[in-house]
Amino acid sequence: MTVLLVLGLVSTGACSTSTPAATPGVTHHPCPHAVDRNKGCIYLGVLSDLNNGPFAQLGKSLQEGQLAFWNEVNKQGGIGDYEIDIATYTRDTAYDPRRHITEFGNVAPHVLALAMSFGTAQTLGVLAEMDEANLVTSAGTLWSGWQYRSTDRGLVLDGGFSYCTEAVLGLDWFAQNYYRPRTLDVVAYRGNYGGDYASGALKWALDNGATITSRIDTGPDSEVGNQDIPIAEIMADPPDLVLLATGPTETAEIVGKLAKSGYTGRFLGSTPTWNGALLDTSAARALTTMYNYTSPFDGWDGNSTGAQRARAAAPAEPTDFGYNIGWAMSYPMKALLTKAAESGELDRSTLRKLLAGLTVDSEGMAAPQSYGRDEPDIAAQRAVINVPDATTSLGSRTVAADFRSPTLQRISLHEPCTR
């Protein structure tokens, strides 16, 4: 039977748990910065891009949101007899798969679970070790494989949509609100992120009579130098719409240079393509007039109960919209920890077992999410559509808060869009 946990941030009460002293990441000693020093501590790890990687701005704002979320949980009584610490075992991986593996090895022996593992290839690189250790994680990645039990091994708490269905959702919204594109170019990072998004774009095109005229692989500027090759390919045969699955630096470069070169179409970007700092670049005008991006969660200006709680809990205005993503992606882990505490067995194997059948309502920040299914309910997925706006907080404004896709009602997905 599926259990629906409608999650406010109120305490679950001081239910007693019989956690063995040897359980990794669980101690009866208080957390380093405990609110109530009579409670024990649950340590969760974070592996993220926090400094010099291509998604460092997003990684830092995700961390701000997660810290604010768990601080509120602790202030309202924690979970059972415990408070939560995600700071002690936070490590910067710089979006480097090799560094991710190293830092995973440093953190894993000390935590009950991971509050976040950032990056698809990075998380896949440690999935076998997670499997062996029964180590559950929240996903700092929207790869479609996390939505299938056959590929996530019952270990990953994903959120919202996948990159694949994000492209479908975004294209349906775009067709309804601007024009129906007949030709599409996709500029995407090599690998699971870009491949997943490009696959979704292709599925939309096949269902809606459009053509992918170019699928252009690229990488971060730190690897490839610049985006001149994708820009030249687009200008050689300009499409109706350019879709982007890159980082924000590459987004600003592509949009700005194409606009300056005379491109008159529009741009649609995946969640990681944006951060508010882009409004301080020379591409700001082109971004505010020619570009939209999608997100699985309510933004800073959202009206859901969860978005209101996130705003109220922020110690200051966040640096980026990723704050809300970090807040929203914490609900599933809270639900799982709560369920385990109530079972009286707060350990890794129990978390993994209880993940199957868990359904989480993130107080309206996303559609309810169910875990442990063989396949996701893609028809129920929704998107939040945003536009850059320098006059608003964090430089972004929501233009559609609960968009549902007619194409997702028609197509079938029975396996990950990329492997």
Side-chain angles (χ1 to χ4, degrees), residues 9-220:
L9 292 180
V10 296
S11 168
T12 60
C15 56
S16 178
T17 57
S18 56
T19 305
T23 299
V26 181
T27 174
H28 292 298
H29 298 291
C31 293
H33 302 286
V35 176
D36 181 352
R37 300 198 65 80
N38 292 316
K39 287 185 176 286
C41 191
I42 295 171
Y43 290 95
L44 303 178
V46 174
L47 302 174
S48 188
D49 185 357
L50 297 170
N51 196 4
N52 295 316
F55 296 109
Q57 179 72 21
L58 176 59
K60 286 185 284 190
S61 60
L62 287 170
Q63 184 72 348
E64 288 179 357
Q66 292 182 103
L67 286 167
F69 181 94
W70 292 110
N71 184 53
E72 287 299 302
V73 170
N74 291 339
K75 287 198 301 186
Q76 297 185 31
I79 294 176
D81 293 330
Y82 299 91
E83 292 183 1
I84 313 301
D85 177 292
I86 71 163
T88 300
Y89 295 105
T90 288
R91 299 292 184 269
D92 176 26
T93 65
Y95 200 65
D96 180 336
R98 290 170 297 181
R99 188 166 169 180
H100 198 97
I101 291 170
T102 298
E103 294 295 0
F104 174 85
N106 292 334
V107 164
H110 308 291
V111 299
L112 177 62
L114 296 177
M116 185 169 66
S117 177
F118 191 96
T120 303
Q122 291 78 357
T123 305
L124 285 169
V126 296
L127 193 63
E129 287 78 8
M130 289 169 56
D131 188 11
E132 184 176 351
N134 287 317
L135 193 64
V136 170
T137 187
S138 294
T141 153
L142 299 172
W143 176 52
S144 59
W146 306 137
Q147 299 189 336
Y148 295 85
R149 188 164 53 186
S150 60
T151 45
D152 86 336
R153 307 193 192 191
L155 291 166
V156 181
L157 292 159
D158 65 298
F161 48 50
S162 69
Y163 297 123
C164 182
T165 55
E166 178 183 27
V168 177
L169 283 153
L171 282 163
D172 270 346
W173 174 85
F174 186 90
Q176 291 181 18
N177 289 274
Y178 283 103
Y179 50 84
R180 180 168 290 274
R182 311 310 301 174
T183 54
L184 309 168
D185 279 7
V186 183
V187 184
Y189 277 2
R190 305 175 191 90
N192 300 93
Y193 162 38
D196 223 45
Y197 193 80
S199 178
L202 178 59
K203 293 178 188 302
W204 185 90
L206 291 171
D207 190 76
N208 288 274
T211 301
I212 305 288
T213 50
S214 289
R215 156 70 195 278
I216 307 167
D217 285 339
T218 190

Side-chain angles (χ1 to χ4, degrees), residues 49 52-59 95 118 163 166 186-190 193-195 197 216-224 226-227 230 242-256 267-278 281 283 287 291-293 320-321:
D49 185 357
N52 295 316
F55 296 109
Q57 179 72 21
L58 176 59
Y95 200 65
F118 191 96
Y163 297 123
E166 178 183 27
V186 183
V187 184
Y189 277 2
R190 305 175 191 90
Y193 162 38
Y197 193 80
I216 307 167
D217 285 339
T218 190
D221 278 358
S222 58
E223 295 178 10
V224 302
N226 58 54
Q227 301 300 311
V242 176
L243 290 100
L244 300 170
T246 63
T249 298
E250 297 75 39
T251 294
E253 181 182 353
I254 292 166
V255 172
F267 302 87
L268 181 65
S270 178
T271 306
T273 60
W274 172 253
N275 74 50
L278 299 191
T281 70
L287 287 163
Y291 160 88
N292 293 93
Y293 71 94
D320 189 64
F321 84 113

Side-chain angles (χ1 to χ4, degrees), residues 168-169 172 204 379 381-382 403-410:
V168 177
L169 283 153
D172 270 346
W204 185 90
Q381 294 179 10
R382 67 172 223 194
F403 182 78
R404 311 285 174 145
S405 164
T407 299
L408 287 182
Q409 306 287 333
R410 297 191 296 266

Side-chain angles (χ1 to χ4, degrees), residues 371-385:
Y371 296 97
R373 299 170 55 144
D374 290 332
E375 298 179 2
D377 182 7
I378 62 168
Q381 294 179 10
R382 67 172 223 194
V384 178
I385 315 295

